Amino acid sequence: FATHVLIPEGQNNADQFFHSKSKDREEELAQARKSHKSGNVNASAKTKAAATNRLTAVILDVGEDFLGASTPLLQLARMLKAQGHCVHYFAESNLRERVQAIGVKYHAYSSSSGSSEWNHNEAAVQQCKEFNCPSESLEKALPSSKMLLTSVSLLNGGLAEHVQALKPDMVLCDAFFPAGSLVSEIIGVPCVTSCSSHFFGREERDRIMGFLRDLDYNQESCTLLEKKYGISYDAADTFCNYSDYTICWTVPQFDT
């Protein structure tokens, strides 16, 4: 399998952010080598340099129902942890053991339905009812039909505030889960999305996902995002939340 990153032409905030971090790291390593040669480096200086380069990443996942999305995110969490970064991982409780086995901080999503554990289907149904929209068909609906509802439910439950309190440098999520891109926009940090399918072009997205705009509960969700957060969201992007940095996990022959 190959991974590649989708980066738009021209300079952008995320591009500047990651390149500046990389440049800072290179400069500090060069200074550390210089100090070491002169015999002036000590353990506390090394520790301080390492702490300066430590990023805080927040990963927003759903759970084991979507292992095609979760598996790459878990691997990213493992890689970030191995490099010394601080990782907070949000997911359903059925993913708790796999997250904790990596050694990163697990966070449960809060439930607004009164149940003890958060569930993405229950969250969508509850939010749909709050919009006074029919919810009977949601249980059997495609994930792309209800992930915007689920994300809005999480925002209403204080997810953005919870993430902001962790003071992250970036938010990571799967491209099919709008919560990540929405939270990153609300709190003003870069978003990295993981794409576990091929990229959808604008025309292809409209043709395949355009029906999502017509669903009444998605229309209500978009209205809420505009009024409460000033975000103009296109429901057809629910499955295609690409960011300035989107990692695609697929064979090159599939993504042609």
Side-chain angles (χ1 to χ4, degrees), residues 7 40-41 60 134 219 221 250:
I7 307 175
N40 296 326
V41 69
L60 302 181
Q219 292 175 0
S221 296
T250 185

Side-chain angles (χ1 to χ4, degrees), residues 77-123:
R78 184 178 290 108
M79 293 169 64
L80 289 167
K81 171 70 175 178
Q83 293 173 10
H85 302 301
C86 176
V87 181
H88 297 271
Y89 203 112
F90 288 74
E92 280 187 5
S93 60
N94 56 18
L95 209 60
R96 181 196 303 263
E97 291 185 4
R98 293 186 63 181
V99 172
Q100 292 178 335
I102 297 172
V104 302
K105 175 65 176 178
Y106 169 80
H107 295 264
Y109 290 119
S110 60
S111 173
S112 59
S113 63
S115 59
S116 58
E117 294 184 347
W118 183 87
N119 173 273
H120 66 278
N121 276 319
E122 292 177 1

Side-chain angles (χ1 to χ4, degrees), residues 71-226:
T71 300
L73 290 175
L74 288 165
Q75 180 62 15
L76 284 173
R78 184 178 290 108
M79 293 169 64
L80 289 167
K81 171 70 175 178
Q83 293 173 10
H85 302 301
C86 176
V87 181
H88 297 271
Y89 203 112
F90 288 74
E92 280 187 5
S93 60
N94 56 18
L95 209 60
R96 181 196 303 263
E97 291 185 4
R98 293 186 63 181
V99 172
Q100 292 178 335
I102 297 172
V104 302
K105 175 65 176 178
Y106 169 80
H107 295 264
Y109 290 119
S110 60
S111 173
S112 59
S113 63
S115 59
S116 58
E117 294 184 347
W118 183 87
N119 173 273
H120 66 278
N121 276 319
E122 292 177 1
V125 170
Q126 179 67 23
Q127 186 61 55
C128 192
K129 291 179 178 178
E130 291 181 15
F131 284 146
N132 293 317
C133 298
S135 60
E136 292 77 12
S137 61
L138 278 179
E139 282 291 338
K140 297 181 180 180
L142 294 171
S144 59
S145 299
K146 51 191 173 183
M147 279 301 157
L148 182 55
L149 266 177
T150 298
S151 300
V152 167
S153 174
L154 288 172
L155 292 179
N156 284 337
L159 178 61
E161 291 78 6
H162 191 170
V163 172
Q164 189 171 37
L166 299 173
K167 299 181 179 179
D169 295 294
M170 58 181 171
V171 172
L172 300 92
C173 63
D174 192 274
F176 91 112
F177 192 35
S181 59
L182 292 172
V183 167
S184 73
E185 185 169 354
I186 291 169
I187 68 175
V189 300
C191 181
V192 177
T193 52
S194 171
C195 179
S196 48
S197 66
H198 78 288
F199 290 124
F200 282 79
R202 181 68 59 178
E203 184 177 333
E204 185 180 22
R205 185 214 60 172
D206 289 346
R207 176 171 54 84
I208 298 175
M209 301 294 177
F211 77 96
L212 295 174
R213 300 180 179 124
D214 301 325
L215 299 176
D216 51 1
Y217 48 78
N218 277 347
Q219 292 175 0
E220 293 288 344
S221 296
C222 291
T223 298
L224 183 146
L225 291 172
E226 178 69 42

Side-chain angles (χ1 to χ4, degrees), residues 12-88:
N12 53 71
N13 290 336
D15 195 29
Q16 293 172 4
F17 172 81
F18 287 107
H19 281 290
S20 66
K21 287 292 183 181
S22 178
K23 184 178 179 181
D24 290 345
R25 176 59 173 165
E26 290 175 2
E27 291 176 350
E28 289 182 3
L29 286 174
Q31 183 62 39
R33 285 192 291 268
K34 183 178 179 181
S35 299
H36 180 72
K37 289 180 180 179
S38 63
N40 296 326
V41 69
N42 53 45
S44 61
K46 289 181 179 179
T47 302
K48 183 178 180 181
T52 302
N53 288 280
R54 191 186 190 209
L55 296 176
T56 297
V58 170
I59 298 178
L60 302 181
D61 198 352
V62 181
E64 283 192 343
D65 286 353
F66 306 97
L67 281 180
S70 297
T71 300
L73 290 175
L74 288 165
Q75 180 62 15
L76 284 173
R78 184 178 290 108
M79 293 169 64
L80 289 167
K81 171 70 175 178
Q83 293 173 10
H85 302 301
C86 176
V87 181
H88 297 271

